[in-house]
Amino acid sequence: MNTLHIKNFKCFEEVSIPLNGLTIMAGANGMGKSTSIQAILLLRKILELGGFISDTEEAFRRTKVALNEGYCLQLGDSTAILRQGAEENEIGIEIELPNRYLKSFLTVDNTSHQLYVEAEMTRSPWTDLDHGHSIEQEEFYYLNAERIGPRVQQSLNHNLFLHAGWQGENTAQVLDHEGGYFKIDPARQFPADQFGKGTKEATNRSLYIADQVNAWLGYLMPGVTVKAKTDPTTLSGQVLLQNNSSRESAILATNLGFGISYLLPIIANGLIAKSHTMFIVENPEAHLHPAAQSRIGIFLAKVASAGVQVIVETHSDHVLNGIQIAVAEQIIQSGMVTVNFFGQEPGENEPQVTSIPVTPKGELARWPKGFFDQTQIDYAHLTKLRRNV
């Protein structure tokens, strides 16, 4: 467990947010969930600009951080990110571990509308037994809420490490990596004995990415399989699909809607992400049927249990249900899961974060007002209306 501290950034005057092996960020719109993720992404950018310096060095050089470049960030200018009414022109973003810390300070000129901020960072040195925090690794996986829809083809891109892109634009490249024979961590193998057969012959699936993607896809969207191919001569990649109605013929991704194109990069990143790294997913439920939303929660729990720090922003109670099921079925330990509810009471000046532990039986230890209670509210309202008819 570690903690994200944010000071004077956008809607937050000062807040502390627990980050676990699997962290769920939930709450109404405009309550600071995206702001918290943006803070993590800014911290990541500062680390990258520092060049991932040696384990023993404690201070980074002062550097300029662009506010609208990388990780789909669109923060505007310097006047837009400092909390209104802040007494000082400095933003603080820190990740605190039990024995280590990463601290960044962003100096904001809130009068000249700059498109960058001046940043500096300090951190405690690594120990010989420490892998470093997940955000410090060269590999870092992030999927924006606005992922690309179905495409006839995708461009091939050079990346420092294998990932599906910030919007899923590299998915074909990942699925066809090493001709589809890229080996996946056995801890993330599709558990056919536990979840059922999924796609046909799932019980005999290899550990290669092409097979594992289809095994998980068959569990999430029964009857659907994909095949990726890349062509270095045209610098392009393509994802072809099959479902029950296409028989034996592969069809273009554009003929099967948005759900699969939004889901595939989540599966791809979840399978290839290295242990001790971070994987952030915004709105994994987008364009998915409720059954698939629940099962993507189970998949992300499986990824987190394999040693990847997973952070999920969601508005879906189905995703949360899937994570609770994963805890109850012992796919992931309850102590590795934290649910953070972002809410604001009348009269408060900023959103508050309530952390909700999950019990070993998959139950939530508390249920704050406004936390995924709309179904009960609507049902009670309908019952009242029916009685008055």
Side-chain angles (χ1 to χ4, degrees):
M1 177 81 77
N2 44 86
T3 306
L4 172 68
H5 300 288
I6 302 173
K7 184 177 181 180
N8 289 336
F9 183 52
K10 296 180 68 175
C11 64
F12 291 120
E13 180 179 358
E14 193 161 1
V15 69
S16 296
I17 304 168
L19 300 179
N20 211 334
L22 173 58
T23 304
I24 299 92
M25 296 185 177
N29 301 101
M31 290 294 109
K33 303 184 302 299
S34 295
T35 295
S36 303
I37 290 176
Q38 289 165 353
I40 295 173
L41 296 176
L42 278 175
L43 186 60
R44 169 68 185 186
K45 288 188 65 175
I46 297 169
L47 283 162
E48 291 176 345
L49 291 169
F52 295 99
I53 59 179
S54 69
D55 303 349
T56 57
E57 205 165 340
E58 296 188 15
F60 285 69
R61 58 183 173 81
R62 193 170 182 85
T63 187
K64 293 180 179 180
V65 182
L67 298 175
N68 303 287
E69 296 176 15
Y71 301 115
C72 304
L73 286 172
Q74 295 291 324
L75 294 172
D77 60 38
S78 54
T79 65
I81 64 170
L82 185 69
R83 175 177 166 79
Q84 292 186 7
E87 296 181 356
E88 52 187 356
N89 288 356
E90 186 175 84
I91 292 170
I93 303 172
E94 176 185 355
I95 287 183
E96 180 184 6
L97 293 81
N99 300 309
R100 293 191 64 240
Y101 63 83
L102 294 163
K103 295 181 180 180
S104 64
F105 304 95
L106 288 69
T107 302
V108 180
D109 184 342
N110 62 345
T111 61
S112 59
H113 298 275
Q114 294 174 333
L115 299 180
Y116 64 89
V117 290
E118 295 275 354
E120 59 183 315
M121 172 175 281
T122 61
R123 71 176 182 185
S124 54
W126 292 358
T127 66
D128 292 338
L129 300 177
D130 194 3
H131 294 284
H133 189 269
S134 58
I135 199 173
E136 297 176 278
Q137 308 305 315
E138 180 179 355
E139 297 84 4
F140 180 81
Y141 309 87
Y142 167 69
L143 282 173
N144 188 263
E146 188 179 3
R147 298 185 280 282
I148 63 170
R151 297 289 190 273
V152 172
Q153 65 180 27
Q154 300 176 355
S155 298
L156 299 187
N157 300 300
H158 168 70
N159 298 298
L160 295 177
F161 59 92
L162 187 65
H163 66 95
W166 317 137
Q167 295 181 288
E169 66 273 15
N170 300 332
T171 301
Q173 204 167 337
V174 173
L175 300 187
D176 197 39
H177 186 61
E178 296 182 2
Y181 289 97
F182 178 73
K183 283 190 175 181
I184 301 303
D185 176 9
R188 292 171 233 183
Q189 181 179 10
F190 177 75
D193 57 337
Q194 185 173 14
F195 294 160
K197 291 186 178 180
T199 55
K200 62 181 179 179
E201 299 178 353
T203 53
N204 297 320
R205 290 292 182 187
S206 70
L207 290 182
Y208 298 123
I209 189 168
D211 289 336
Q212 283 300 308
V213 164
N214 277 320
W216 279 105
L217 185 59
Y219 170 66
L220 294 158
M221 289 186 173
V224 177
T225 58
V226 297
K227 180 180 180 180
K229 61 180 183 180
T230 55
D231 185 352
T233 62
T234 60
L235 299 179
S236 66
Q238 192 174 52
V239 177
L240 299 173
L241 306 169
Q242 284 182 292
N243 65 0
N244 294 331
S245 63
S246 65
R247 299 179 183 177
E248 299 299 324
S249 300
I251 59 177
L252 293 176
T254 49
N255 291 319
L256 272 182
F258 276 73
I260 297 172
S261 65
Y262 266 52
L263 179 62
L264 273 178
I266 301 176
I267 300 175
N269 270 354
L271 290 177
I272 66 171
K274 290 188 176 181
S275 295
H276 310 295
T277 62
M278 181 176 286
F279 179 25
I280 301 174
V281 188
E282 295 180 358
N283 300 123
E285 69 273 12
H287 300 289
L288 296 184
H289 182 276
Q293 293 181 31
S294 175
R295 291 179 174 186
I296 198 62
I298 294 174
F299 172 76
L300 291 169
K302 183 78 170 175
V303 174
S305 70
V308 179
Q309 185 171 27
V310 179
I311 299 174
V312 180
E313 179 194 3
T314 183
H315 293 276
S316 171
D317 52 351
H318 303 298
V319 172
L320 179 60
N321 292 341
I323 291 169
Q324 291 177 258
I325 290 170
V327 171
E329 291 188 346
Q330 299 181 345
I331 294 168
I332 188 171
Q333 296 177 3
S334 61
M336 293 182 63
V337 181
T338 295
V339 180
N340 290 320
F341 172 60
F342 292 68
Q344 188 168 357
E345 294 292 335
E348 290 182 344
N349 295 323
E350 64 177 333
Q352 305 296 316
V353 179
T354 302
S355 293
I356 306 172
V358 181
T359 72
K361 293 183 178 180
E363 300 167 328
L364 298 178
R366 62 178 70 96
W367 203 282
K369 182 180 178 181
F371 177 71
F372 289 128
D373 54 7
Q374 195 60 43
T375 297
Q376 289 82 0
I377 292 171
D378 289 344
Y379 182 77
H381 185 56
L382 280 170
T383 300
K384 183 178 179 180
L385 291 173
R386 289 164 182 162
R387 286 174 178 171
N388 293 333
V389 173

